[in-house]
Amino acid sequence: MSDVQTWIKETVSNTPVVLFMKGTAQFPQCGFSGRAIQILKSCGVENIATVNVLEDPEVRQGIKDYSNWPTIPQLYVKGEFIGGSDIMNEMFESGELKALLNG
């Protein structure tokens, strides 16, 4: 396992809610990342750990390899890969995401 893969695994394992995104929570760099932050805030998540994949090409590719998921953003809750903004949106609308985050 590469250093980046090890770092990603430790990050998602040791942090309850992690969003790998383009930009930051304060300044998202794409609409999908912005929507993901809005969804998490609407669910009442206050401590959102974010990783700006635009700062490091190795992390940007590494997270895609780690999850076997081709797009960013990617949400992890308690070490488990949840999905991107489309899946987050579906889970938010059904109430499933809020239950997962608060459970």
Side-chain angles (χ1 to χ4, degrees), residues 17-85:
V17 180
V18 183
L19 182 67
F20 288 82
M21 63 181 290
K22 293 178 181 175
T24 64
Q26 295 75 24
F27 191 66
Q29 296 287 302
C30 83
F32 296 109
S33 292
R35 178 69 182 134
I37 289 293
Q38 287 178 333
I39 290 169
L40 291 172
K41 288 182 177 177
S42 293
C43 288
V45 179
E46 294 178 9
N47 295 323
I48 305 167
T50 61
V51 177
N52 182 356
V53 300
L54 298 178
E55 292 179 346
D56 188 338
E58 284 189 59
V59 172
R60 185 175 186 171
Q61 185 57 48
I63 193 61
K64 293 175 184 181
D65 296 341
Y66 182 82
S67 63
N68 198 24
W69 190 262
T71 59
I72 306 289
Q74 293 186 15
L75 176 66
Y76 290 79
V77 177
K78 298 173 187 145
E80 180 185 349
F81 174 57
I82 304 303
S85 63

